[in-house]
Amino acid sequence: MRDTGSTTRTRTSRTSRTTGTTDSDLRFVEHTLDTAPAASVRAMEGVRKGFGFLPPLVAKQAESPELLNGFLRLSAMFESVTMEPVAREVLIVTVAARNECGFCVRMHAGKLEKLGVGEEVVEALAAGRPLVEPKWEAVRLFTHAVMDRAGGVSAQQLEAFYAHGYSKRNALEVVLGIGTYTLSTFANRLVEHGVS
């Protein structure tokens, strides 16, 4: 029987046989205001001011000023849409749960809590279960339909969304929200690579 080596190796000591890179070479740097690219610093300062701290995933996304600044602009645009705040957060948590971004689910769960929404709603969204409130469930279902069909929803799906008081403008705002938070969740998952 061949000895395969110690099974207690740390993640940072593993080296790829094909490229010679270690796990630590693949990890994204958690930038500070001093180490980040200059074009990311203003955005990082704004996030830190808004949250009272700099979330580690934002510090890692600072590696790409274009991504960080682009997401923050899109997020601000989505915050200004005509959909009510709870509906926006339902959409965000729906996208985050589908894209398996635990950080995003937790962060936006806090926002839903501040809006007076109970924990059972967040738990249902995180688990992909239907929501009791019909208007919020309409947002959840329509968000899934848009993602499932790459925007090509059926007339029945549009009618079901509109039947809960939403408009054509809101339908397009859902697309904006999906795009914005797909960008965020994908980036968050990417920069988490190698984190144990």
Side-chain angles (χ1 to χ4, degrees):
M1 190 162 173
R2 187 169 64 99
D3 180 16
T4 58
S6 171
T7 58
T8 60
R9 282 185 268 175
T10 62
R11 295 189 77 127
T12 57
S13 67
R14 252 188 357 205
T15 303
S16 167
R17 291 180 188 195
T18 56
T19 64
T21 58
T22 65
D23 281 352
S24 61
D25 293 331
L26 299 175
R27 289 190 181 142
F28 285 81
V29 172
E30 192 172 315
H31 284 287
T32 66
L33 296 175
D34 295 326
T35 65
S40 289
V41 172
R42 178 185 250 172
M44 293 169 72
E45 288 172 336
V47 169
R48 186 175 67 180
K49 183 179 179 186
F51 282 97
F53 70 99
L54 185 64
L57 294 176
V58 172
K60 291 177 180 184
Q61 289 178 19
E63 184 71 30
S64 170
E66 298 79 12
L67 178 124
L68 181 58
N69 288 301
F71 167 68
L72 293 174
R73 285 185 194 118
L74 286 169
S75 178
M77 289 171 66
F78 186 63
E79 288 297 311
S80 73
V81 300
T82 62
M83 289 174 64
E84 66 275 11
V86 172
R88 290 194 308 263
E89 293 301 322
V90 165
L91 179 148
I92 293 166
V93 176
T94 299
V95 172
R98 180 183 173 119
N99 292 340
E100 299 176 4
C101 182
F103 169 78
C104 302
V105 170
R106 290 187 302 277
M107 188 176 103
H108 290 279
K111 287 188 173 189
L112 279 167
E113 219 172 86
K114 287 180 183 174
L115 292 169
V117 175
E119 191 176 308
E120 67 281 354
V121 172
V122 175
E123 289 173 2
L125 286 167
R129 293 191 315 264
L131 302 177
V132 174
E133 170 56 49
K135 193 162 177 143
W136 302 341
E137 176 63 2
V139 172
R140 187 187 77 84
L141 288 174
F142 190 68
T143 300
H144 276 292
V146 171
M147 290 189 292
D148 290 346
R149 302 194 54 170
V153 298
S154 68
Q156 293 80 15
Q157 289 166 320
L158 274 171
E159 287 170 3
F161 184 64
Y162 297 159
H164 289 87
Y166 294 109
S167 66
K168 293 174 184 173
R169 182 174 181 171
N170 296 144
L172 291 170
E173 292 169 350
V174 167
V175 174
L176 174 63
I178 291 169
T180 301
Y181 288 92
T182 296
L183 172 71
S184 173
T185 57
F186 282 17
N188 286 337
R189 293 194 64 200
L190 178 65
V191 300
E192 282 185 313
H193 173 79
V195 176
S196 53

